[in-house]
Amino acid sequence: MRVSREQMAENRERILETAATLFRERGFDGVGVADVMKAVGLTHGGFYGHFTSKDDLAAQALGRAFANANRWTSEAKAADPQAPLQAIASRYLSPSHRDDPGHGCPVAALGCDVVRQGGASRLAATEGVRTAIGGMSAIAPGETEEERRASAIASYATLVGALVLSRMVDDEALSDEILAAARAALEPTQQ
Amino acid sequence: MRVSREQMAENRERILETAATLFRERGFDGVGVADVMKAVGLTHGGFYGHFTSKDDLAAQALGRAFANANRWTSEAKAADPQAPLQAIASRYLSPSHRDDPGHGCPVAALGCDVVRQGGASRLAATEGVRTAIGGMSAIAPGETEEERRASAIASYATLVGALVLSRMVDDEALSDEILAAARAALEPTQQ
DNA sequence: GAATTTACATGATACTGATCATATAAAGAG
DNA sequence: CTCTTTATATGATCAGTATCATGTAAATTC
């Protein structure tokens, strides 16, 4: 049956957000079109009225996930203007982020999947990473702009790598140790 | 038809190595049992004489990939005893490693896939990561053993994160920049 | 060298999942 | 209020894939 224009827009929105979460939780191949639609409360057939294909959805959901996650940077700056990098690290490397991939960093959750993804998804990821680096550069230490940018990239890499490692291991103590070590490495070096 | 005992062992070996490469290139879900067997030059039916299931193969292939990759640490120590960490970084963050996931670091290639994998694969990964951290600790800077270990974990995370990011982006200049920034961050801080 | 074992080939089977064709009922236009 | 449009539901199709049953010929064994 038909729904109102407004309802349809909301449905599309929910499909996108739900997909963004499910993909991060189970990977692109671990989620079917029907799974997403069911989670939203619709049936699989209607999907193609909103998106042209699963790949299309994947690309847009990835863009959404990046947009949500990249907001963390400005939130950190607002929360702790003195040490925004530590604020980000603290949130990014927290057990709650580790244990909830569905609402966290798309790079840590889908990074290696995206590498094998074609076209639109790769573009969305490239744009997302570029934006993330830009945002981190604004809060990274360093005299020159180049220094800050290089430092931002390195910090970003450390965050991503540590989170992936902490999620991989099947040993909570080791997992916590990894998070703590990365947090420590991102503290300002007060020689 | 039947093959010699020796030939059978070699076949099993080739299945394992081929799977380790294909999984890293295309992900666990991107490779079928038939794909692996075909790449080895056998047919899909014989597979279950060597492994009990695809999951079994995945776990063993992951273990093999870790074993191969963890050898890099000792190779770096042998190649450049003065600066083994820089030797590893140089190899790990090279364009050739970035462009050949099939023969590289299993964390960067399969990290987020493993997180969703159950049982045996998770265990193999945990063991592999533990060994990697142990190997890196031996060449990490620091006064105490704890310092070296924490530093090793952070360096490992930076390597992994940078490689994943460099593979994700669809822009060679940005990709190279990421590799260079991470390499720079791993240089000894000669304050 | 005959008897037995077995690694692999062939060919089901059963299931999942992406996509599409068609139907329907409700929204929006007049 | 009627007519037209269309968002979604239902159901089918088609392809891919893990796993298993059975056959066969070559390697071991005695």
Side-chain angles (χ1 to χ4, degrees):
Chain A
M1 68 285 205
R2 195 176 174 184
V3 301
S4 75
R5 216 162 278 250
E6 194 180 359
Q7 181 62 248
M8 183 204 170
E10 190 193 312
N11 285 347
R12 192 195 133 93
E13 189 62 18
R14 289 186 56 214
I15 293 172
L16 208 51
E17 282 290 340
T18 303
T21 297
L22 289 180
F23 282 143
R24 276 177 287 184
E25 282 173 357
R26 307 187 215 155
F28 289 122
D29 291 334
V31 182
V33 167
D35 294 325
V36 176
M37 295 301 276
K38 192 174 187 181
V40 173
L42 298 173
T43 55
H44 65 278
F47 173 79
Y48 293 89
H50 292 284
F51 301 92
T52 67
S53 67
K54 185 185 175 182
D55 273 351
D56 179 26
L57 172 67
Q60 296 198 41
L62 191 62
R64 174 63 59 99
F66 265 107
N68 291 341
N70 282 336
R71 217 170 292 135
W72 289 26
T73 316
S74 42
E75 287 169 10
K77 204 154 41 169
D80 188 348
Q82 301 310 308
L85 180 58
Q86 280 65 51
I88 286 202
S90 171
R91 180 176 183 184
Y92 194 101
L93 298 170
S94 66
S96 67
H97 184 203
R98 175 193 62 199
D99 300 336
D100 185 18
H103 300 92
C105 176
V107 180
L110 292 169
C112 51
D113 283 38
V114 168
V115 172
R116 304 166 209 127
Q117 213 74 9
S121 289
R122 280 297 282 291
L123 288 182
T126 306
E127 198 47 42
V129 168
R130 209 191 295 279
T131 303
I133 291 175
M136 296 271 297
S137 293
I139 60 172
E143 297 300 315
T144 68
E145 174 58 29
E146 288 97 55
E147 270 179 34
R148 281 192 294 277
R149 190 173 159 89
S151 163
I153 292 175
S155 298
Y156 190 26
T158 305
L159 291 175
V160 167
L163 191 60
V164 169
L165 287 168
S166 77
R167 283 179 179 160
M168 279 181 85
V169 299
D170 201 9
D171 172 337
E172 193 163 349
L174 179 57
S175 180
D176 290 342
E177 186 192 2
I178 292 167
L179 295 181
R183 254 193 322 263
L186 292 173
E187 286 297 315
T189 48
Q190 59 241 341
Q191 180 81 21
Chain B
M1 68 289 200
R2 195 176 174 183
V3 301
S4 75
R5 214 162 278 250
E6 192 181 1
Q7 181 62 248
M8 182 204 170
E10 190 193 314
N11 285 347
R12 193 196 134 92
E13 188 63 17
R14 289 185 56 213
I15 293 173
L16 208 51
E17 282 290 340
T18 303
T21 296
L22 288 180
F23 282 143
R24 276 177 287 184
E25 283 174 357
R26 305 187 215 156
F28 290 122
D29 291 334
V31 182
V33 167
D35 293 325
V36 176
M37 295 301 277
K38 192 174 186 180
V40 172
L42 298 172
T43 54
H44 63 279
F47 173 79
Y48 293 89
H50 292 284
F51 301 91
T52 67
S53 67
K54 186 185 174 181
D55 273 350
D56 179 27
L57 173 68
Q60 296 198 40
L62 190 61
R64 175 62 61 98
F66 265 107
N68 291 342
N70 281 336
R71 216 170 293 134
W72 287 28
T73 316
S74 42
E75 287 169 11
K77 204 153 43 169
D80 188 348
Q82 301 310 307
L85 180 57
Q86 280 65 51
I88 286 201
S90 170
R91 180 176 182 184
Y92 194 102
L93 298 171
S94 66
S96 67
H97 184 203
R98 175 192 62 199
D99 299 336
D100 185 17
H103 300 91
C105 175
V107 179
L110 292 169
C112 50
D113 283 39
V114 168
V115 171
R116 304 166 210 126
Q117 213 75 9
S121 289
R122 279 299 281 294
L123 287 182
T126 305
E127 199 45 43
V129 168
R130 209 189 295 280
T131 303
I133 291 175
M136 295 272 296
S137 293
I139 60 171
E143 297 301 314
T144 69
E145 175 57 29
E146 289 97 53
E147 270 178 34
R148 281 193 294 277
R149 190 172 158 89
S151 162
I153 292 175
S155 298
Y156 191 26
T158 305
L159 291 175
V160 168
L163 191 60
V164 169
L165 287 168
S166 77
R167 282 178 179 161
M168 279 181 85
V169 300
D170 201 11
D171 173 336
E172 193 163 349
L174 179 56
S175 180
D176 290 343
E177 186 191 2
I178 293 168
L179 294 180
R183 254 194 322 263
L186 292 173
E187 286 296 316
T189 48
Q190 59 242 344
Q191 179 80 21

